[in-house]
Amino acid sequence: MNELHNQVQGWYKEIRKVTTLEHIIESGTASQEINFWAQMDRSLRYIKEQLVTEQVTMTLDILMQSTMHRRVVFAFRNDTEIAPKHTKA
């Protein structure tokens, strides 16, 4: 269980790196701006695709069975901020 817990925490941290990434509009060219948002969109779509895979779903379901590990599942599901960031992209 601890290994699964650590794995989900790792996923959470990696997803947060993407969803909390900010882009400063004042610097760079229009082409760089377009490329940034296009890459952000691709990254968010890929993350969303991965989150619905059987492996991720099963891992989260297993951890939900353990009272001790539920907190990481709730944080993972509710605090990755993919939907708001994807709307912005």
Side-chain angles (χ1 to χ4, degrees), residues 1-9 63 66 68-69 72:
M1 282 291 211
N2 287 335
E3 184 63 34
L4 291 177
H5 179 98
N6 292 337
Q7 184 68 43
V8 171
Q9 282 185 316
L63 287 175
S66 167
M68 191 169 87
H69 297 288
V72 74

Side-chain angles (χ1 to χ4, degrees), residues 19-53:
T19 60
T20 59
L21 185 63
E22 292 295 327
H23 183 63
I24 301 171
I25 297 171
E26 291 81 29
S27 65
T29 65
S31 177
Q32 289 171 325
E33 181 75 12
I34 292 167
N35 288 336
F36 173 83
W37 290 111
Q39 182 59 41
M40 175 65 77
D41 182 62
R42 282 190 296 274
S43 296
L44 292 172
R45 285 178 192 274
Y46 178 74
I47 290 168
K48 286 170 80 173
E49 289 172 6
Q50 294 303 304
L51 291 177
V52 296
T53 63

Side-chain angles (χ1 to χ4, degrees), residues 8-9 11-21 44 47-48 51 60 72-86:
V8 171
Q9 282 185 316
W11 295 342
Y12 176 80
K13 289 176 185 176
E14 291 301 312
I15 291 169
R16 292 288 292 170
K17 285 180 186 178
V18 174
T19 60
T20 59
L21 185 63
L44 292 172
I47 290 168
K48 286 170 80 173
L51 291 177
L60 296 176
V72 74
V73 176
F74 287 129
F76 184 80
R77 288 184 173 159
N78 298 318
D79 196 30
T80 52
E81 298 182 10
I82 293 171
K85 190 68 169 195
H86 202 203

